[in-house]
Amino acid sequence: MIISSHILIGCKKQDPKSQEQLYKFCYIPFMKLAHRYTQNEDDAKDVINKSFFKILTKINTFEGDENNFYAWCKTILIHESLDHIKSTAFRQSFNTTEPKEEDSFIFAESDFTTESEQILFYLRHLPVTTATVFNLFALEGYSHKEIAALIGINEGNSKWHLHSAREKLQNWIFKNKVK
Amino acid sequence: MNAPNSNRHPLDKYIDEKLEQLNIEFDPSGWQSVQNMMKSHVEIANPNNSSTFSKFISLKSIAIFTVSALILSLLMYQLIGEKPNGNINTNQNKSNPSLDENTIDSSNQYNKKDQKINSVPSTIPTLKNKEILSKFNNQVPLVVDSTQIFDDIEKYVKIDSFQDLILKDSTKFKKKKHIIW
């Protein structure tokens, strides 16, 4: 995704119209991303608003062009999402390596209107660290080294969490499809 | 951060695709909250710029208020000074022609007070006062001749020294008449 240069220039000049255009342009992809890191829609909106606040207030520190402006905004959103995870009660389970015993639950297909919602539900039911590592590695393309530095775990632990996430998600999706 | 490549795990790819299909609608209320956050940030970051006008007004109003208060206090002072009660003049020089009728001479007041205070101890009746009082009370004063008293004393008490003393001073007492109440 590339944000047009006039929006970038306008935002750097603190033009309200350009700022609103940027918000409208980024809202839906950012909401999709924020949903992966948060437990509900309200938290996702909160993360997005805080991220936009940071983007618009720190836009003058951005030295790139329109080609990498979206990636810069996305990085801010991911960092804000991680801050949100740390600030919520879920941080308590951040350091625990013991996953929740939820392997046995099977969801009725009628509970979800779309398959996307079902996948999101599975992702939200993963342990917080496991889900975060999966999101960062599998969906955002971060390396284990980067993940270890970001969330304060070692690389081996990050690999274990990724393996655990894949195993659980595959199991839940397969069980639900068989049913 | 690297972009997810084509050698991704099939499960990762599947989940990513499904999550991209999430149905999300634009919520304009979110932009309002961002705008509010921006406004508050601007006010906190630049308090001088945000309230320059109001600050100017407040400073101006404070200045006007202080000046007007000073003028009012001066005017009030002047008005009180021109009241018929007059100024309080501490000047003790009574012969000062500049003092008009309305001015209160504090020195004069003090003198009058002194006179009153001096008149208070005169509870011991003086002859003059007794005469005045007798006029008011319509009483006839008792006239006693002191020589007669001394003659009577001489009859009963015959002491040489006392007699000599009386003889010496008898001339003084003879002509004097003491009024005793």
Side-chain angles (χ1 to χ4, degrees):
Chain A
M1 284 179 82
I2 296 170
I3 297 164
S4 61
S5 58
H6 76 271
I7 292 175
L8 175 61
I9 293 161
C11 287
K12 280 195 173 184
K13 288 176 182 174
Q14 301 294 324
D15 174 41
K17 280 187 178 179
S18 301
Q19 289 174 339
E20 194 174 355
Q21 280 180 323
L22 179 73
Y23 186 83
K24 283 178 179 173
F25 183 81
C26 295
Y27 182 81
I28 290 168
F30 275 21
M31 270 299 274
K32 287 176 181 174
L33 193 70
H35 269 298
R36 300 174 189 183
Y37 292 92
T38 53
Q39 294 295 311
N40 54 58
E41 196 171 345
D42 289 336
D43 284 355
K45 281 179 181 176
D46 189 43
V47 166
I48 281 179
N49 291 341
K50 283 178 181 173
S51 302
F52 266 103
F53 171 70
K54 281 186 180 175
I55 289 163
L56 296 172
T57 51
K58 292 179 180 180
I59 198 158
N60 288 318
T61 61
F62 174 68
E63 291 173 345
D65 56 4
E66 64 267 24
N67 295 319
N68 47 19
F69 181 53
Y70 181 77
W72 182 76
C73 295
K74 199 176 168 181
T75 309
I76 289 173
L77 178 67
I78 290 164
H79 282 258
E80 190 58 43
S81 302
L82 294 173
D83 286 344
H84 171 79
I85 291 164
K86 286 174 189 173
S87 67
T88 55
F90 297 104
R91 67 183 294 189
Q92 291 173 357
S93 61
F94 229 98
N95 298 322
T96 58
T97 50
E98 287 292 321
K100 291 172 187 172
E101 293 298 324
E102 291 173 349
D103 301 68
S104 57
F105 63 71
I106 298 164
F107 309 102
E109 205 155 327
S110 58
D111 292 349
F112 309 102
T113 52
T114 61
E115 204 176 351
S116 302
E117 285 179 15
Q118 194 176 2
I119 299 291
L120 186 66
F121 183 83
Y122 296 154
L123 197 64
R124 282 176 174 170
H125 276 79
L126 283 172
V128 178
T129 316
T130 308
T132 307
V133 170
F134 180 80
N135 277 325
L136 291 170
F137 186 89
L139 308 178
E140 306 302 332
Y142 280 84
S143 68
H144 284 294
K145 196 178 179 180
E146 287 171 324
I147 292 163
L150 268 171
I151 62 173
I153 56 169
N154 59 49
E155 283 184 53
N157 216 353
S158 175
K159 284 173 187 172
W160 182 89
H161 278 294
L162 180 67
H163 174 74
S164 173
R166 279 176 178 160
E167 196 178 44
K168 282 174 189 293
L169 288 166
Q170 200 167 7
N171 191 27
W172 291 339
I173 293 162
F174 177 74
K175 275 184 183 175
N176 200 51
K177 280 198 171 177
V178 167
K179 191 193 168 206
Chain B
M1 184 180 74
N2 302 315
N5 55 29
S6 56
N7 299 325
R8 291 166 76 186
H9 194 280
L11 183 72
D12 300 355
K13 204 176 177 181
Y14 171 76
I15 288 168
D16 198 16
E17 281 172 7
K18 290 294 172 192
L19 290 173
E20 281 296 318
Q21 289 167 12
L22 274 169
N23 186 25
I24 290 162
E25 289 177 359
F26 177 71
D27 180 20
S29 65
W31 174 239
Q32 290 295 321
S33 60
V34 174
Q35 275 187 317
N36 292 335
M37 286 162 84
M38 290 285 287
K39 278 179 187 173
S40 60
H41 171 75
V42 168
E43 281 173 13
I44 292 162
N46 303 312
N48 294 328
N49 293 342
S50 62
S51 60
T52 310
F53 187 67
S54 61
K55 211 173 185 179
F56 172 72
I57 286 169
S58 65
L59 281 168
K60 202 177 177 180
S61 62
I62 289 162
I64 288 164
F65 178 76
T66 46
V67 168
S68 59
L70 271 166
I71 291 163
L72 270 168
S73 60
L74 282 165
L75 277 167
M76 287 292 283
Y77 180 76
Q78 288 294 323
L79 283 166
I80 291 161
E82 285 171 12
K83 270 187 178 178
N85 290 340
N87 293 321
I88 295 162
N89 190 358
T90 52
N91 191 3
Q92 288 189 350
N93 187 10
K94 286 179 185 175
S95 62
N96 191 352
S98 65
L99 295 171
D100 54 21
E101 288 175 354
N102 294 329
T103 51
I104 296 164
D105 190 0
S106 63
S107 61
N108 195 25
Q109 276 186 329
Y110 279 110
N111 287 338
K112 279 177 183 175
K113 271 188 177 179
D114 286 341
Q115 281 173 2
K116 280 180 183 177
I117 291 158
N118 290 332
S119 67
V120 170
S122 64
T123 46
I124 303 158
T126 57
L127 285 170
K128 212 173 186 179
N129 287 338
K130 279 167 190 171
E131 280 171 2
I132 293 157
L133 280 165
S134 67
K135 279 177 189 173
F136 281 108
N137 295 329
N138 296 320
Q139 288 179 358
V140 181
L142 180 68
V143 181
V144 179
D145 191 1
S146 60
T147 51
Q148 190 68 35
I149 295 162
F150 280 107
D151 287 342
D152 292 340
I153 294 162
E154 279 174 14
K155 282 177 187 175
Y156 297 102
V157 184
K158 286 186 177 179
I159 302 162
D160 295 340
S161 58
F162 187 68
Q163 277 182 330
D164 292 337
L165 221 156
I166 290 161
L167 283 168
K168 281 177 184 176
D169 296 330
S170 58
T171 48
K172 287 182 185 175
F173 290 105
K174 271 178 184 174
K175 287 181 181 177
K176 281 187 180 176
K177 286 182 178 179
H178 296 278
I179 300 159
I180 298 161
W181 294 88

